[in-house]
Structures are given as structure tokens and as C-alpha cells.
Amino acid sequence: MSGAPPGERIRDPHIWVDADACPTVIKDILFRAAERVGLVLTLVANHAVRTPPSQYLRSVQVAHGFDEADHYITERVSPQDLVITADIPLAAEVVSRGATALNPRGSLYTEANVRERLAIRDINEELRGMGATRGGPPALGKRERQAFAGELDRWLATRR
């Protein structure tokens, strides 16, 4: 028996990708996984993003503007969904809505760690604003790609 109210269909899990800054290698891992398990994956960006031809892969171009892709995703995310993002405020919103958020470096955001990461992000932004720190994260390496693929596979395994 379904947990949905009469006449309401339970939607399949969906993978949302905050695609503006998502590395190509991570998108390639996601494309293969969506095809393999038959889940719909949507790339959301403020520029056109091409996807390989597939019934499971989609892309949406949102208006240019601050956090437009984030707003698009948060308006549509459901608790059974996965969101791929390096944007900590978006991850915090996704987690608060009961969905899962995964960083392209393979780090899973949880209720237990997302607030701490948000606080650290805010401190780092303040330090950058004062000129105390510069630069961004190091290049995505093999270890991060493997960590990402492992977390993605664990999430997918719970959806089968």
C-alpha cells in the first residue's frame, strides 16, 4: 500500500545539479549513474548546459541573477531527492526540506554538519572581505572524485 493520499502519485527520486560551478568530471559521473539506474537528473544553471541525449537527462536555464538556480531547485526539491552542490546555503536549505545534499568533492551535507559548514563559510567570506585570505579550494583530485562516486552509489543503493 502506498503512503500517498488517494489519487496522489508518489514521485520517483530526482537528482538536481547546481550546474553553474559543477565540474565536468562530476557531471559525467552523474550522467552515467542516471542512465544506469533510470533516474531523472536535471542540471540547473544560468547559462545553457548541454547533456548527452537521454530520456533521463535534462537541463534548465534560469534567468541571470543572484541565486536563481538555487531558488529553482529549492522550489522543486522533495525529501526523496538528491541535490549536488558546493553552495552551502543551498545545501542547508535542501537539508532543511528533508532532501539529501552532496558536495562535488564527495562530502555529504547533513543536519549535523551543514550549520557548522555555513558558519565556517561565513567566517571565510568575512576574512576574504578583509583581504586576510585569497584563492579558492584546490583542484578536484582523484580522491575527491572517488569519494563523490562512493557517496552517490550509497544514495542510489537506498533508492532501489
Side-chain angles (χ1 to χ4, degrees):
M1 173 157 226
S2 166
E8 186 176 315
R9 181 183 175 278
I10 295 179
R11 156 172 104 59
D12 290 333
H14 194 108
I15 300 173
W16 299 96
V17 182
D18 182 8
D20 284 320
C22 187
T24 300
V25 67
I26 297 302
K27 287 186 254 186
D28 291 340
I29 291 168
L30 289 163
F31 294 158
R32 288 191 301 272
E35 282 292 321
R36 185 178 74 238
V37 301
L39 277 182
V40 175
L41 177 144
T42 302
L43 299 163
V44 182
N46 62 17
H47 63 278
V49 180
R50 291 195 304 178
T51 63
S54 168
Q55 67 180 2
Y56 302 110
L57 305 178
R58 301 176 182 153
S59 70
V60 173
Q61 183 176 354
V62 296
H64 287 277
F66 188 70
D67 290 340
E68 290 295 325
D70 299 2
H71 295 307
Y72 185 93
I73 292 169
T74 57
E75 288 171 0
R76 289 159 180 81
V77 73
S78 293
Q80 71 272 17
D81 294 348
L82 173 65
V83 175
I84 309 302
T85 187
D87 184 307
I88 299 170
L90 173 57
E93 182 64 27
V94 165
V95 168
S96 77
R97 292 173 182 253
T100 303
L102 177 60
N103 183 291
R105 294 181 172 275
S107 180
L108 197 62
Y109 298 101
T110 65
E111 285 187 32
N113 71 17
V114 75
R115 296 292 164 208
E116 177 183 332
R117 290 179 186 202
L118 197 53
I120 291 169
R121 172 203 166 267
D122 291 344
I123 290 169
N124 285 335
E125 264 191 17
E126 197 170 311
L127 290 172
R128 274 190 299 276
M130 295 181 339
T133 63
R134 294 178 189 194
L140 194 71
K142 184 178 180 181
R143 182 176 302 163
E144 289 89 2
R145 290 191 308 269
Q146 289 173 334
F148 177 84
E151 285 296 339
L152 176 62
D153 284 343
R154 278 187 279 289
W155 183 84
L156 291 169
T158 66
R159 299 313 184 263
R160 294 183 189 154

